[in-house]
Amino acid sequence: MYSLNSLRLMLTVLSISVILSGCIKNIHQAELHHRQTSNMIHIHNQWVRAVTPVSHISAAYMSIINHGSMEDQLLAVQTSAAEVVEIHNVKKENDMMSMSPVKFVDVSAGGSQELKPGGYHVMLIKLVKPLKVGDEVELTLHFKNAGMVKVTAPVMGSMPKGEMKHETKEHESLDHSGSHD
């Protein structure tokens, strides 16, 4: 038979095993929830505007689709292609077009948000190198609920074919290829 010390040792090992298996299960459930939450945001039609070799600024555009049941917000974007990255919006006030940074972009539950010329967009300021057609830019989008979503955006000279153009002559006058220095 077993001695009292052997039984105590087996009960201790068994207790530790039960506690550890519960912790591992909780960690796995948290990871699964995060993955499911992150999978709620989908990015489509992402692209970055090509610029001339002397330009220090560009812009990124995309469609953000929220397949989740909670509203989300795009809070920030990171890329190694630029020293500064800001989310901007273009608005018409007093018959004048103006572009300014925003703190976030709302994406409604079950809805979408377009980042496009003449509206919300991502400004890439102080480019590390000029962006030419055919290059690709890695973007990490930070969402309030979904967390980080990484995408690769091709550099293009203009909006991808098949995309609806929402630009007007007023929007076209906003030059995203200049410098903000």
Side-chain angles (χ1 to χ4, degrees):
M1 292 289 218
Y2 295 105
S3 70
L4 187 56
N5 284 338
S6 296
L7 285 174
R8 283 185 186 153
L9 179 61
M10 286 194 304
L11 284 174
T12 302
V13 169
L14 182 61
S15 298
I16 291 171
S17 298
V18 168
I19 290 169
L20 287 177
S21 69
C23 291
I24 291 170
K25 181 180 177 187
N26 289 341
I27 290 169
H28 178 68
Q29 285 176 338
E31 288 175 346
L32 182 61
H33 173 71
H34 180 69
R35 268 187 261 137
Q36 288 171 341
T37 302
S38 295
N39 288 336
M40 294 297 128
I41 296 290
H42 292 235
I43 309 300
H44 296 281
N45 304 317
Q46 65 271 20
W47 66 285
V48 175
R49 188 179 300 277
V51 296
T52 63
V54 296
S55 295
H56 302 285
I57 193 166
S58 184
Y61 310 100
M62 66 199 72
S63 297
I64 302 171
I65 298 150
N66 182 354
H67 292 285
S69 58
M70 278 173 68
E71 179 179 282
D72 212 334
Q73 294 176 331
L74 174 63
L75 301 174
V77 180
Q78 291 178 303
T79 182
S80 60
E83 292 179 27
V84 178
V85 181
E86 297 177 351
I87 303 169
H88 282 210
N89 192 15
V90 175
K91 288 186 179 181
K92 184 176 183 178
E93 294 177 13
N94 302 325
D95 293 328
M96 296 289 294
M97 299 303 292
S98 66
M99 177 176 62
S100 58
V102 296
K103 292 183 181 188
F104 57 85
V105 175
D106 286 321
V107 186
S108 62
S112 64
Q113 183 64 258
E114 296 293 321
L115 277 60
K116 62 188 177 194
Y120 286 111
H121 57 281
V122 177
M123 292 300 301
L124 307 177
I125 305 166
K126 295 185 180 178
L127 294 172
V128 174
K129 66 177 188 167
L131 299 175
K132 60 186 186 303
V133 173
D135 289 345
E136 291 185 333
V137 176
E138 298 287 327
L139 301 168
T140 303
L141 304 130
H142 296 266
F143 289 90
K144 182 177 181 177
N145 297 316
M148 292 190 308
V149 177
K150 294 183 180 189
V151 297
T152 301
V155 176
M156 305 173 84
S158 62
M159 188 174 286
K161 289 182 181 179
E163 292 296 305
M164 282 189 66
K165 266 203 157 178
H166 296 282
E167 293 183 56
T168 65
K169 292 199 182 295
E170 293 166 339
H171 292 119
E172 289 169 357
S173 68
L174 291 171
D175 182 10
H176 292 289
S177 61
S179 175
H180 273 240
D181 293 0

